[in-house]
Amino acid sequence: MPAALALLAAAFVVGFEQIVQSKYGATGIIGLLLLTVGIKAKNPAFSSAGAVLLALLLAGPAL
């Protein structure tokens, strides 16, 4: 059962990355990567940079 759950989680992550890349391009992937690495490494600088980059991408059309 844990192997199936890990496979399902990996498929979800890959699918989410593809959606972000198709909508926001390489900048979206870099922001998502910074956010993920920052959270995993417990580094607030990386996670904040990734969150700000993703927020700018989402708010870009409204500005």
Side-chain angles (χ1 to χ4, degrees):
M1 186 68 160
L5 186 61
L7 184 61
L8 184 63
F12 176 75
V13 168
V14 169
F16 184 71
E17 285 180 352
Q18 291 297 319
I19 290 170
V20 168
Q21 184 176 13
S22 68
K23 189 164 183 171
Y24 300 110
T27 310
I29 291 295
I30 291 170
L32 190 62
L33 179 70
L34 283 171
L35 182 64
T36 305
V37 168
I39 290 172
K40 295 244 184 214
K42 296 182 181 163
N43 187 339
F46 277 143
S47 58
S48 296
V52 166
L53 188 59
L54 289 174
L56 285 173
L57 282 173
L58 290 174
L63 295 177

